[in-house]
Amino acid sequence: MFKLIFFLWRRSDLDRDAFIDYYENSHAIFGSRIVPRSDDYRRSYPQWERGSGRGMDDIFSFGPFDVMTELWFHDRSGREAQLTEAAKPEVRDAVVADEARFMDRSKQAYFVVVEHRSCGTAPGMERAAAKIVHLCRESPNLAPDEFKHRHERERVPEIEGAVRGLIDYRRNYFVLDDPQSFAGGVDAQLQLDPEMLSVSLMEEMWLASTEDLAIAMAALKRPSALIDSSMSFSIPVDEYRADFGDVMAPFVLLNERCR
């Protein structure tokens, strides 16, 4: 699988509700019709007032994001087909005009990620009543590869054992040197500014009940020798799903520990 995560920011004259309304009822529908579809397509809108940890100003240079968009493809060619179609002048002009109606096009961050999944199935996702996103980075004394290996083998089982009502739990490791990872205005640059993002991992957790949120957030924020405690942030999000998306297939399937 090939997966991308976009962090986008709304226009300054729109509030959260207006931004969500336009994205969900106009742009998401328009986008799925004008370019080839991904295998799945989801949008997560942060509930900033319920977050815990450091401020997002410390994580993104653009400040708190307004939506996290996720695209899954069978392989990289699926995304390349989208980009080829989007590059056609008439398509590009239509996309730019529509994006300008609800988002700040000067503030965008696109990341290729390697997704690891250890429990859950796509049909079970429909039972989810709550979702949490946790952004963090490795301790300074750990190399990225060692961090990923130890996080998957040591920390993930501990978190799974502590959380109630766990439906699915995924870890997305940012691939900053991929040519499809970039930040800033989409027309201005195609190379990621290293100062743009100060985290290396985004974890996602889906829960069966909102009553399980507090325990799950505490588990994700639990101190660990693997995590840089100065850069760790958990936030509940409102997730919207495409009507055609039902895959969410793992890049790496490590084990099955679902309860």
Side-chain angles (χ1 to χ4, degrees), residues 30 34-35 82-98 105 187:
F30 161 80
I34 200 170
V35 297
Q82 281 192 339
L83 295 175
T84 297
E85 187 67 22
K88 295 179 179 179
E90 66 277 14
V91 176
R92 180 186 177 281
D93 290 347
V95 170
V96 168
D98 195 66
R105 299 189 76 252
D187 301 316

Side-chain angles (χ1 to χ4, degrees), residues 205-234:
M205 186 175 286
W206 290 261
L207 305 168
S209 171
T210 56
E211 296 176 356
D212 300 323
L213 274 171
I215 293 175
M217 290 183 72
L220 288 168
K221 286 288 296 175
R222 184 176 298 168
S224 167
L226 304 179
I227 300 294
D228 183 346
S229 61
S230 71
M231 199 57 64
S232 176
F233 192 94
S234 297

Side-chain angles (χ1 to χ4, degrees), residues 31-230:
S32 65
R33 291 174 178 169
I34 200 170
V35 297
R37 290 178 172 180
S38 55
D39 291 332
D40 204 349
Y41 172 35
R42 304 196 177 210
R43 287 81 56 201
S44 294
Y45 300 91
Q47 302 173 20
W48 290 118
E49 71 281 2
R50 302 180 64 189
S52 66
R54 296 179 64 88
M56 282 299 298
D57 288 341
D58 296 326
I59 296 179
F60 281 102
S61 61
F62 291 150
F65 63 90
D66 292 293
V67 66
M68 181 186 78
T69 297
E70 298 174 271
L71 301 177
W72 286 260
F73 301 90
H74 179 70
D75 53 34
R76 183 181 286 267
S77 65
R79 175 58 178 168
E80 291 173 348
Q82 281 192 339
L83 295 175
T84 297
E85 187 67 22
K88 295 179 179 179
E90 66 277 14
V91 176
R92 180 186 177 281
D93 290 347
V95 170
V96 168
D98 195 66
E99 288 181 345
R101 295 186 178 100
F102 75 111
M103 57 182 278
D104 183 345
R105 299 189 76 252
S106 71
K107 298 177 180 178
Q108 303 179 65
Y110 289 53
F111 299 102
V112 173
V113 298
V114 175
E115 179 189 81
H116 286 240
R117 168 194 177 200
S118 55
C119 66
T121 60
M125 297 293 291
E126 303 307 317
R127 307 195 318 269
K131 179 183 176 181
I132 299 170
V133 167
H134 178 237
L135 288 152
C136 62
R137 71 183 179 198
E138 66 272 14
S139 294
N141 61 328
L142 289 179
D145 287 345
E146 181 184 4
F147 166 66
K148 182 164 64 175
H149 176 77
R150 293 186 59 187
H151 184 270
E152 292 298 317
R153 300 299 177 184
E154 299 173 22
R155 187 168 180 266
V156 168
E158 293 178 359
I159 292 174
E160 290 178 327
V163 177
R164 299 182 316 195
L166 182 61
I167 291 178
D168 207 347
Y169 174 32
R170 301 188 181 214
R171 285 81 59 198
N172 301 276
Y173 296 90
F174 293 104
V175 184
L176 302 185
D177 59 355
D178 190 282
Q180 291 196 29
S181 292
F182 68 91
V186 68
D187 301 316
Q189 64 185 79
L190 292 176
Q191 186 174 9
L192 182 71
D193 179 355
E195 301 300 320
M196 172 63 204
L197 182 72
S198 55
V199 295
S200 54
L201 168 65
M202 187 198 74
E203 299 180 274
E204 300 175 275
M205 186 175 286
W206 290 261
L207 305 168
S209 171
T210 56
E211 296 176 356
D212 300 323
L213 274 171
I215 293 175
M217 290 183 72
L220 288 168
K221 286 288 296 175
R222 184 176 298 168
S224 167
L226 304 179
I227 300 294
D228 183 346
S229 61
S230 71

